Amino acid sequence: MTTPSGTPAHTHHPLPSYLQADHLGPWGIYLQQVDRVTPYLGHLARWVETLKRPKRMLVVDVPIELDNGTIAHFEGYRVQHNLSRGPGKGGVRFHQDVTLSEVMALSAWMSIKNAAVNVPYGGAKGGIRVDPKKLSRGELERLTRRYTSEIGLLIGPSKDIPAPDVNTNGQIMSWMMDTYSMNTGATATGVVTGKPIDLGGSLGRVEATGRGVFTVGVEAAKRTGLAIAGAKVAVQGFGNVGGIAGKLFAEAGAKVVAVQDHTGTIFKSDGLDVPALLAHVKQHGGVGGFAGAETMANDEFWGVQCDILIPAALEGQITKDNAARITAKLVIEGANGPTTPEADDILADKGVLVLPDVIANAGGVTVSYFEWVQDFSSFFWSEDEINARLVRIMQEAFDGVWQVAQQHKVTLRTATFIVACQRILHAREMRGLYP
Ligand code: NAD
């Protein structure tokens, strides 16, 4: 990696204790990523501290009455990392391990992602520290409504627009939309995205992230001389993102040779029957037990002979322990944060091209943006129109990042951060500081 000379000096002030890096955690990783791009920001480096301090963080108590009559309290968060380019945008996660620092990092990555694909949003994220699988439907609804009321100070169609993330879905978005609408006295469909079609949702939203993964994969393959037809693809996670991406690669003539999910790992060297596998997953909840494939030990998945590897399940999957065994030429990050920083360096040294999450899985937020635009105008587009616009945005974003990577001889992750940080900080510079 080269560092341009003549980088302008920028002033450092110690970060408040709650913003300091926990080097093992996601916020620490994010701060490292910002430090890595600072030398490429030119005169905008003067503003870089802005990216290390979330603009606004709200921690709320969410009390609900459980079905058994007791009162339970949950901790909820909404973090608006940066609003320089537009209203906040980012999902809401319901998980027992959610912490403020995790939500801070996820909100910061949303700022980067939204700027990377140039949708007019800042970055935000929310969450509740709860295991929603332990709640009844009524409890989940009460939790969602109370949380929405508590963060009502911050959200709104032109302020901050939540969306689904881990363990939240169209039903939860519907309750959020209804609660916000009741509190403000007018039906406001544009306050959340990822809604059902009948409530102002968008066609193409469900497939959008997988379609974006496929689109950037095709662009990268073109530039590296890899033919998609006949390419061997391995996919971890065969849900919304991995399942759709796998289907689109198979339709383009690639062979999906290995798939891993929480039920196990399956393998077929001349290519799995993807439509049949999707039907099996729909019926049985996972790839385990699929006829017409061999099974393999989960750890062997990482060494499978393939050209393209798509991690589309969880964070922290490609690590220093398995990165050296990866045979793929191209890794497309469908999941958020699937590659640890050590593994990233191992892959870069091996010459593996990694398409980073902040651009590769941005198809979801791009169609969320279309949903929000459609809600504002109350005019809904056809699925073909949505897919064509999505593909164009993803292609343009990828092309811009590719050029920056070539110019500075950096990884696509660093290049994406350079493009995104420049856009955010340029907006900040033009707006200036208030007052
Ligand atoms: P999903 O729930 O539809 O699918 C998750 C998949 O991961 C399932 O196939 C599940 O079996 C598999 N999985 C779970 N635990 C596993 C384990 N221990 N080992 C192997 N596989 C495991 O979720 P999704 O919406 O497809 O999201 C997947 C990833 O993509 C997440 O990181 C999510 O944050 C990210 N993402 C999703 C979207 C979106 O629009 N859905 C957008 C951006 C990023």
Side-chain angles (χ1 to χ4, degrees):
M1 187 187 295
T2 57
T3 304
S5 56
T7 303
H10 55 285
T11 322
H12 268 297
H13 302 284
L15 291 171
S17 59
Y18 60 89
L19 297 184
Q20 280 172 20
D22 156 11
H23 279 287
L24 301 172
W27 179 249
I29 292 173
Y30 166 74
L31 290 180
Q32 272 180 21
Q33 290 167 335
V34 173
D35 285 341
R36 202 173 262 209
V37 302
T38 303
Y40 300 95
L41 297 179
H43 74 282
L44 292 172
R46 176 169 176 251
W47 294 92
V48 81
E49 287 283 306
T50 260
L51 297 170
K52 296 185 177 182
R53 297 163 192 257
K55 177 180 175 62
R56 196 176 276 141
M57 304 199 276
L58 182 62
V59 181
V60 295
D61 176 38
V62 189
I64 59 163
E65 185 171 345
L66 299 179
D67 294 346
N68 66 11
T70 59
I71 308 295
H73 290 259
F74 300 93
E75 198 168 305
Y77 316 95
R78 186 73 188 170
V79 176
Q80 294 176 342
H81 172 260
N82 191 283
L83 305 181
S84 298
R85 300 180 62 258
K89 185 94 193 80
V92 173
R93 180 171 290 199
F94 287 1
H95 196 275
Q96 60 275 17
D97 299 330
V98 166
T99 61
L100 177 61
S101 91
E102 180 187 29
V103 178
M104 282 158 54
L106 292 167
S107 71
W109 283 321
M110 286 309 300
S111 299
I112 301 296
K113 192 179 297 187
N114 293 334
V117 286
N118 216 357
V119 292
Y121 291 131
K125 200 87 181 189
I128 307 181
R129 202 171 160 80
V130 61
D131 181 356
K133 296 187 178 72
K134 294 196 174 135
L135 299 183
S136 69
R137 183 182 160 89
E139 290 167 340
L140 191 60
E141 178 172 352
R142 293 197 287 283
L143 181 84
T144 303
R145 288 186 181 280
R146 181 61 188 251
Y147 168 72
T148 307
S149 288
E150 294 294 341
I151 64 163
L153 292 166
L154 296 189
I155 61 172
S158 53
K159 290 163 73 179
D160 181 1
I161 306 105
D165 189 66
V166 175
N167 291 332
T168 58
N169 55 25
Q171 174 62 79
I172 300 219
M173 293 307 110
S174 304
W175 289 329
M176 289 188 76
M177 179 280 225
D178 183 71
T179 304
Y180 179 85
S181 299
M182 287 294 149
N183 287 345
T184 54
T187 294
T189 52
V191 66
V192 290
T193 59
K195 300 179 298 295
I197 299 289
D198 289 341
L199 271 184
S202 179
L203 295 169
R205 173 64 185 89
V206 173
E207 300 81 18
T209 306
R211 192 173 295 281
V213 165
F214 172 70
T215 303
V216 295
V218 168
E219 292 300 307
K222 266 188 220 159
R223 285 167 178 79
T224 54
L226 175 69
I228 296 289
K232 292 186 171 182
V233 181
V235 189
Q236 187 199 35
F238 218 58
N240 178 256
V241 179
I244 300 290
K247 173 172 166 269
L248 294 173
F249 273 104
E251 284 171 3
K255 292 186 170 75
V256 177
V257 292
V259 173
Q260 176 177 93
D261 74 359
H262 71 288
T263 63
T265 306
I266 59 169
F267 175 77
K268 191 161 190 275
S269 57
D270 58 350
L272 294 153
D273 178 345
V274 173
L277 181 59
L278 286 166
H280 176 88
V281 170
K282 199 168 179 189
Q283 197 182 348
H284 302 281
V287 301
F290 180 63
E294 296 166 47
T295 56
M296 60 164 51
N298 284 338
D299 191 52
E300 283 179 41
F301 173 79
W302 303 106
V304 160
Q305 278 301 320
C306 63
D307 302 297
I308 300 174
L309 172 66
I310 306 175
L314 307 170
E315 54 267 46
Q317 295 300 296
I318 304 181
T319 66
K320 62 179 174 14
D321 301 323
N322 58 29
R325 281 184 277 146
I326 288 173
T327 62
K329 302 174 188 77
L330 199 58
V331 172
I332 316 174
E333 293 186 339
N336 283 313
T339 312
T340 66
E342 298 105 315
D344 228 359
D345 291 341
I346 296 170
L347 293 174
D349 288 346
K350 274 165 60 93
V352 179
L353 187 63
V354 178
L355 310 193
D357 48 6
V358 277
I359 189 153
N361 70 28
V365 76
T366 302
V367 176
S368 271
Y369 162 56
F370 298 161
E371 178 176 337
W372 179 76
V373 169
Q374 293 171 83
D375 287 341
F376 261 116
S377 54
S378 297
F379 179 75
F380 290 85
W381 313 342
S382 72
E383 190 159 1
D384 286 348
E385 205 170 347
I386 285 159
N387 289 344
R389 286 179 196 261
L390 168 64
V391 167
R392 196 171 70 226
I393 286 184
M394 297 296 292
Q395 284 173 337
E396 282 175 10
F398 184 84
D399 189 51
V401 164
W402 183 265
Q403 286 181 29
V404 169
Q406 302 290 307
Q407 181 191 343
H408 293 298
K409 300 192 171 31
V410 292
T411 62
L412 288 174
R413 194 183 311 280
T414 300
T416 307
F417 268 72
I418 294 174
V419 169
C421 293
Q422 282 177 340
R423 283 191 180 135
I424 297 167
L425 297 181
H426 184 238
R428 182 72 271 146
E429 181 181 60
M430 295 308 290
R431 288 177 66 161
L433 290 181
Y434 175 87

